[in-house]
Amino acid sequence: MRVTTSADARAIPPSFPDVCKRVFLGKPLTSEQLESERLSNPIALGAISPDAISSTAYGPEQVMHVLLPLVGMVAFALLLPIIGVVLVILALMTASYRQVVMAYTKAGGSYVVARENFGPRIAQIATAALLIDYVVTVAVETAAGTVAVVSAIPHLRPYSLEITVASVILICFANLRGLRQSSRAFATTTYAFVAMITLTIVTGIVREVFWGLPKYDAQHIVGAVPIHQGGGLVMGATIVALLRGFANGNSSLTGVEAISNTVNVFREPQGPNARRVLTVMACILGFLLIGVSWLTYATHATPYIDEYPSMLSEIARAVFGNGTTGNILYLLVQASSAAILFTGANTGFGGFPALASFVAEDRFLPRPLTKRGHRLVFSNGLITLAALAVALLLVTGGSVHELVPLFAIGVFTGFAMAGYGMTKHHLTHRDQGWRRKAVINLAAGIMSTIVVGIFVVAKFTQGAWLVVVVFPVLVFALMRLNRQYRAEASVLEMSRTDRPELARHPRLRVFVFVDSIDLAEIEALRYGKGLQAAELTAVHFVVDAAHAARLQERWERFNRDTPLQVIDCPDRHLSRAAQELVLQALKDHPGSKVTVLLPRRTYSPLLGRLLHDRTADKMAKAVSRVTDATAIIVPYDVGSRISRAAPDAFEEMLAREIGEVQTGMSRVEAD
């Protein structure tokens, strides 16, 4: 058998969409070019961890944003204990995910863990959590990146939302072009940020020890968040403040699961390498969090109501001062912060489409999400993610503070599913040390569930209610979509025990629905004659009597040997009329089968939808409901054929096509 390639075929001019894709996205890639890039541990650490490490830029600030209005200046003393508890949770999550990456070395993270241990339906809880997480990740990271930019360049403040939305669109566009070979660039941004924040922390410690750091007068900063006046240590208010501050502080742990979602990109042995990188990432994150939190305490850096300048920007300014060297270092801190935050947003664009394709393969999301596009990326998933993130940014005004409650609920729900799933894994497999590992994962699952509960209670009126509503709706939608796919599969798939009947039915009757005499009808008639049916009949449903008369006259003028049956349809309900015709044919000819051919004229994808209806699809759907009846749509591309024929040559082309059909009919009848 000879396999033909595109070079063997006649050259076909590219369509308008193809031309646009080449112009904006570049040359298409072939499937053979789809190779996963295996990363060394240093590159993997820098390329996969921006989402987690970048949370240092906004995590402590979100704690202070909540504490200062509730407990006043005591907030600076409470920040370090709260971050300390967050670090304990970080250690627990790291211990849990160290086991995940060893047990499941394929991409998918908590979704794969939940699916393998609880089945695909329960795993949709993890799916909903991760999908929400990825959408909000893109929104939060780009919004925080814009804060870093505008903090350094205040003149851009009026355009902050526009900058954020534009950055989402640009990142999406870059991914549509393909960013598979950008790991080293992403790693550079991560290491630059870690270096600059480390330098800030070390410089701050040295200055505090020998000279003393300058402190902001938090109670008199114009534009800062309001500060509660008084002692602040009132039992009820303090408990509420601690819960809300703790909830916001846990936003610093977002991204810890990123490595478990991409274990497959590590070099062999994948599990041990991923575990090492995860441990190093957690250590870096913990160091940066405690360092920035201490600098916040030491300098009394205060968040602003409109989030500009950022608290990290204030810390860098206090640590480095206003001299030439200080200004340069300050700008480097802001530049590295913006770079890692925008890179962290790209983590969502790497994770969402891949997860959506996994879930779609399990038939819980639409199948188009499994298709790779022009540049071998999941284009539909990328565009969907960008649209959802932009919508979320527009609703929240691009505010990081408004987005954080939406952020952490999805993240910690995924943590909980991973913890419970790994607990079930250890109870089932009982490998060496399984009891200790099961306790760690169960504790991680319970702790994550508690954090979700705290978020729901403490932040319900501040945006968490939206996730509480959307989450079950999304899970239900995933389940409902899967049920629809399973229902369709049960109709289309035959039992393996049944022997399919492939022989030609001796009493097949074919109807070709015609509305005019043109090349599309000719193509349908040619196809119908090739079916070698016992009876071939053209059918026209009369909606306009004058049009029907002209059709009959023209039919006779072309001297067709296929009979034309005209059926009156006074109520213009064509789908029902077609169904009644088929039912009557089956009743008049017991034991027969009926095939209906419906010509479909395809036009330009945009104007065609607006200028022409989809009557053929509706009629085909109605006919297909009848037992022993089949509806086949015969497409005819008007744009590529009619446009190449001169208007005065149409009748000649039509006559030639009719002659070919009649010759074919004569040959079939002679046989």
Side-chain angles (χ1 to χ4, degrees), residues 448-528:
S448 299
T449 305
I450 292 173
V451 173
V452 171
I454 291 174
F455 254 102
V456 171
V457 173
K459 309 291 288 185
F460 186 83
T461 59
Q462 298 177 324
W465 66 268
L466 181 60
V467 178
V468 173
V469 172
V470 169
F471 202 97
V473 171
L474 180 56
V475 173
F476 173 79
L478 294 170
M479 296 285 194
R480 181 64 183 83
L481 186 60
N482 178 256
R483 187 172 68 180
Q484 179 66 25
Y485 273 133
R486 286 187 289 110
E488 294 172 356
S490 66
V491 174
L492 296 173
E493 296 175 0
M494 294 183 296
S495 172
R496 295 181 180 179
T497 60
D498 295 337
R499 185 180 182 87
E501 182 182 352
L502 301 178
R504 181 170 63 89
H505 201 281
R507 284 181 286 182
L508 174 65
R509 281 170 167 74
V510 176
F511 294 109
V512 181
F513 290 175
V514 299
D515 186 58
S516 61
I517 300 178
D518 57 21
L519 298 180
E521 304 291 351
I522 298 298
E523 194 69 29
L525 283 170
R526 178 188 284 115
Y527 183 81

Side-chain angles (χ1 to χ4, degrees), residues 194-205:
V194 172
M196 291 309 304
I197 301 303
T198 300
L199 178 62
T200 304
I201 294 170
V202 172
T203 304
I205 293 174

Side-chain angles (χ1 to χ4, degrees), residues 504 529-530 532 662-671:
R504 181 170 63 89
K529 199 62 181 180
Q532 301 183 22
Q662 291 176 343
T663 301
M665 290 178 178
S666 301
R667 290 176 180 173
V668 171
E669 291 169 356
D671 293 340

Side-chain angles (χ1 to χ4, degrees), residues 144-265:
T146 301
V147 169
V149 172
V150 174
S151 296
I153 311 175
H155 295 296
L156 297 177
R157 185 175 302 176
Y159 313 103
S160 58
L161 181 58
E162 290 82 354
I163 293 172
T164 306
V165 171
S167 66
V168 172
I169 295 173
L170 286 175
I171 295 172
C172 177
F173 176 71
N175 278 273
L176 287 172
R177 289 186 62 89
L179 283 178
R180 296 183 301 119
Q181 307 299 328
S182 301
S183 300
R184 293 184 181 276
F186 294 158
T188 300
T189 64
T190 301
Y191 287 122
F193 176 79
V194 172
M196 291 309 304
I197 301 303
T198 300
L199 178 62
T200 304
I201 294 170
V202 172
T203 304
I205 293 174
V206 172
R207 287 196 61 180
E208 178 67 12
V209 170
F210 292 101
W211 301 284
L213 280 170
K215 286 190 177 182
Y216 292 97
D217 185 1
Q219 294 179 319
H220 298 91
I221 297 177
V222 178
V225 297
I227 298 178
H228 176 75
Q229 301 298 320
L233 291 176
V234 180
M235 182 59 68
T238 303
I239 292 176
V240 172
L242 288 174
L243 288 176
R244 290 184 176 178
F246 173 71
N248 274 20
N250 279 289
S251 65
S252 300
L253 302 185
T254 57
V256 172
E257 79 289 353
I259 290 177
S260 71
N261 294 338
T262 54
V263 182
N264 59 315
V265 306

Side-chain angles (χ1 to χ4, degrees), residues 51-67:
D51 184 14
I53 293 177
S54 66
S55 62
T56 306
Y58 55 81
E61 179 171 352
Q62 293 306 309
V63 178
M64 298 304 296
H65 204 289
V66 170
L67 289 181

Side-chain angles (χ1 to χ4, degrees), residues 337-356:
S337 299
I340 194 175
L341 286 164
F342 288 128
T343 301
N346 191 69
T347 302
F349 281 98
F352 182 97
L355 173 67

Side-chain angles (χ1 to χ4, degrees), residues 468-641:
V468 173
V469 172
V470 169
F471 202 97
V473 171
L474 180 56
V475 173
F476 173 79
L478 294 170
M479 296 285 194
R480 181 64 183 83
L481 186 60
N482 178 256
R483 187 172 68 180
Q484 179 66 25
Y485 273 133
R486 286 187 289 110
E488 294 172 356
S490 66
V491 174
L492 296 173
E493 296 175 0
M494 294 183 296
S495 172
R496 295 181 180 179
T497 60
D498 295 337
R499 185 180 182 87
E501 182 182 352
L502 301 178
R504 181 170 63 89
H505 201 281
R507 284 181 286 182
L508 174 65
R509 281 170 167 74
V510 176
F511 294 109
V512 181
F513 290 175
V514 299
D515 186 58
S516 61
I517 300 178
D518 57 21
L519 298 180
E521 304 291 351
I522 298 298
E523 194 69 29
L525 283 170
R526 178 188 284 115
Y527 183 81
K529 199 62 181 180
L531 296 177
Q532 301 183 22
E535 179 182 346
L536 176 65
T537 306
V539 177
H540 174 70
F541 296 100
V542 180
V543 175
D544 183 341
H547 173 72
R550 290 193 298 270
L551 175 64
Q552 286 180 293
E553 178 183 356
R554 197 174 186 200
W555 194 273
E556 294 174 358
R557 178 158 60 91
F558 280 105
N559 193 23
R560 292 175 180 268
D561 60 353
T562 303
L564 175 65
Q565 182 178 354
V566 179
I567 300 176
D568 193 24
C569 188
D571 60 358
R572 299 172 302 284
H573 200 314
L574 297 177
S575 297
R576 186 175 60 197
Q579 204 172 48
E580 291 174 351
L581 170 67
V582 171
L583 288 170
Q584 187 63 44
L586 292 172
K587 180 180 179 181
D588 294 342
H589 305 279
S592 295
K593 289 187 179 293
V594 173
T595 294
V596 173
L597 303 179
L598 300 100
R600 177 200 277 167
R601 302 153 185 85
T602 59
Y603 303 87
S604 62
L606 297 179
L607 290 178
R609 287 279 185 175
L610 298 175
L611 302 180
H612 303 279
D613 59 22
R614 310 291 287 184
T615 305
D617 297 290
K618 298 174 184 177
M619 297 177 75
K621 183 177 180 180
V623 170
S624 297
R625 292 176 181 154
V626 179
T627 305
D628 292 330
T630 303
I632 300 175
I633 293 178
V634 183
Y636 189 89
D637 191 348
V638 177
S640 65
R641 301 189 186 186

Side-chain angles (χ1 to χ4, degrees), residues 15-97:
S15 63
F16 179 73
D18 290 335
V19 173
C20 291
K21 289 178 182 178
R22 282 181 173 271
V23 171
F24 292 104
L25 302 181
K27 183 181 178 181
L29 300 179
T30 62
S31 298
E32 289 75 11
Q33 295 173 273
L34 182 61
E35 297 178 358
S36 57
E37 182 183 6
R38 303 296 180 182
L39 305 180
S40 64
N41 286 4
I43 297 298
L45 173 62
I48 301 174
S49 61
D51 184 14
I53 293 177
S54 66
S55 62
T56 306
Y58 55 81
E61 179 171 352
Q62 293 306 309
V63 178
M64 298 304 296
H65 204 289
V66 170
L67 289 181
L68 284 171
L70 292 176
V71 300
M73 297 299 290
V74 180
F76 291 104
L78 293 176
L79 174 61
L80 289 175
I82 288 175
I83 294 299
V85 176
V86 170
L87 294 182
V88 172
I89 299 176
L90 171 62
L92 191 59
M93 294 299 107
T94 302
S96 177
Y97 273 98

